[in-house]
Amino acid sequence: MGVASLSRPFELRYPGPVEEAIEEIARLLDGEYGLAPRSVALLLLQGDEEVTELVAARQPEVPPRARELAAALDARLGEPVALSVATQRASWARKVASEVMQERDGARRGFGEVLGRWAMRPLTGLLLAGLVLVVLYEFVGVFAAQTVVDWTETRLFEGWITPWVNRGVAALIPWPWLQELLAFDYGLVTLGLRYAAAIILPIVGAFFLFFSVLEDSGYLPRLALLLDRVFKGIGLSGRAVIPMVLGVGCDTMATVVTRTLESRRERVIATLLLALAIPCSAQLGVILAILSGVPGALAVWAGVVAAVLLLTGFLASRLMPGERPLFYTDIPPMRLPRLGNVLTKTYARMQWYFLEVLPVFLLASVLIWAGRLTGLFQVATAALEPVVRAIGLPAEAAVVFLYGFFRRDYGAAGLFDLQKAGALASGQLVVAAVTLTLFIPCIAQFSVMWKERGPKTALAITAFIFPFAFAVGWVLSRVLAGGLF
């Protein structure tokens, strides 16, 4: 492949009706928006929310006129104006590429190009996706969640830090209420810091490193194309692969990313599925570590969660009004990930996540301590115990679900403790893992849902999820009552 220079200047022009609408809106604009009037007009026609809000704040009469013109263009062109604009840009890019790129006869395709083509074909693409999942499981679920966490949690904290802190606090602080705030079962160091640093941090770090490798290799857009048809069945498009995969890292971050989806209908469905059936990386890693010893239990958990995801998405896409989403994307070249890019992206995500998660874990410890001191924690736990017993779990599991309200991974860490104590049989572990995965979103995710989708949608999603999670747990407990494991 060679590169030549342009023989003539290229000018990007859109179909006549689109150009007329752009000119009309551009004439209406008054003042500086930081972009050329033509660019602002084009973004208004495509329904860009940020630019629409910006213009509406200064010229409230312009966005309604832009929406009228966009609706007229949709009808006249027979397709959304955003799709027409994207198609014209892609055609323009191909013309430029054909002018400046020359393919030499007999040139052999590199391995990256061949692998990129395989990743988008149904058979080889699914095999490659399966291979990626296996590597993800081995790296995050086995290496990080078992090998690394065994050292940080068992040896570092339980072997050294926790006994040292307990002895020091007992010797230096005479007041039992203050001792319990810092140490022992629910202390800031022995519970909050231990969960955040010893259990969650290694798992999240491993996932973000893996995700950065996939992202820098150019694989994710190909995965989006491969899964577009499946996602159409649940009311989404291949574009939703990014927030869904990112949700396996952190559902809160992924809920913010859903703003990149095309329509409000698509954004609401994606938010619902993220809140219901996409476990965050720490929760996923802990559950993989807990269930990996019983492959059948792990398969049941994965099958039930996947079935709930597909069924809920399918029903939501049928019940919610709106047009089916369109999907088009650029495909970057497949390449070996660059170490500097991978480390920079991983560091940025780790910094964001740790700054966000550590204060919440410490706050959760303080709230639990205050709740125990005032008796509210025991009251809330007692209120959950009948529900927990109804799905076949011991009363002690109520604390795990209360933890899960503060953070999903916090609850998963509590489940990890119960499993280590031998309080749950294999069937109970599956029921607890499924119910906890489907359980209501954590405080951070709920607050982002409130901000991004509005109070009515956030409350409606939460009101649906709480009884639904326990209903699925109840059905599963009855199915497994015969002793499948």
Side-chain angles (χ1 to χ4, degrees), residues 126-179:
L126 289 175
L127 288 174
L128 188 59
L131 180 62
V132 169
L133 286 177
V134 170
V135 176
L136 173 67
Y137 167 75
E138 291 292 334
F139 185 58
V140 178
V142 177
F143 172 69
Q146 295 182 30
T147 306
V148 180
V149 168
D150 179 64
W151 189 87
T152 55
E153 207 263 339
T154 305
R155 296 190 183 185
L156 182 62
F157 266 81
E158 291 187 357
W160 299 336
I161 296 177
T162 299
W164 182 82
V165 171
N166 286 343
R167 285 195 300 271
V169 167
L172 297 174
I173 300 176
W175 305 285
W177 61 269
L178 189 54
Q179 290 178 353

Side-chain angles (χ1 to χ4, degrees), residues 364-381:
S365 292
V366 173
L367 291 176
I368 292 171
W369 167 79
R372 286 171 56 82
L373 204 63
T374 59
L376 290 176
F377 186 81
Q378 290 84 340
V379 171
T381 304

Side-chain angles (χ1 to χ4, degrees), residues 299-467:
V300 170
W301 170 81
V304 171
V305 173
V308 167
L309 174 76
L310 295 175
L311 180 62
T312 305
F314 174 78
L315 294 176
S317 68
R318 297 301 182 275
L319 295 174
M320 291 184 63
E323 296 180 356
R324 297 182 65 181
L326 299 171
F327 177 56
Y328 44 86
T329 185
D330 295 327
I331 302 297
M334 201 88 177
R335 68 179 190 186
L336 277 177
R338 295 175 179 169
L339 182 61
N341 292 349
V342 170
L343 294 179
T344 301
K345 292 174 183 176
T346 304
Y347 172 76
R349 292 190 174 109
M350 286 293 298
Q351 185 182 38
W352 180 89
Y353 190 84
F354 202 62
L355 289 175
E356 188 259 348
V357 72
L358 183 57
V360 175
F361 270 56
L362 297 180
L363 176 63
S365 292
V366 173
L367 291 176
I368 292 171
W369 167 79
R372 286 171 56 82
L373 204 63
T374 59
L376 290 176
F377 186 81
Q378 290 84 340
V379 171
T381 304
L384 271 175
E385 284 179 359
V387 185
V388 169
R389 286 200 188 96
I391 61 174
L393 302 180
E396 294 82 2
V399 177
V400 170
F401 289 94
L402 204 56
Y403 284 177
F405 176 67
F406 293 107
R407 280 198 64 86
R408 282 184 167 191
D409 35 11
Y410 206 92
L415 188 61
F416 184 81
D417 276 352
L418 273 184
Q419 189 257 356
K420 281 184 63 179
L424 298 173
S426 297
Q428 291 174 311
L429 272 176
V430 178
V431 173
V434 167
T435 310
L436 194 61
T437 303
L438 304 178
F439 195 50
I440 56 176
C442 65
I443 289 176
Q445 188 180 359
F446 179 78
S447 63
V448 170
M449 284 167 48
W450 185 287
K451 177 176 177 292
E452 295 287 326
R453 302 287 93 86
K456 189 184 296 184
T457 302
L459 290 172
I461 289 175
T462 305
F464 164 72
I465 287 176
F466 184 83

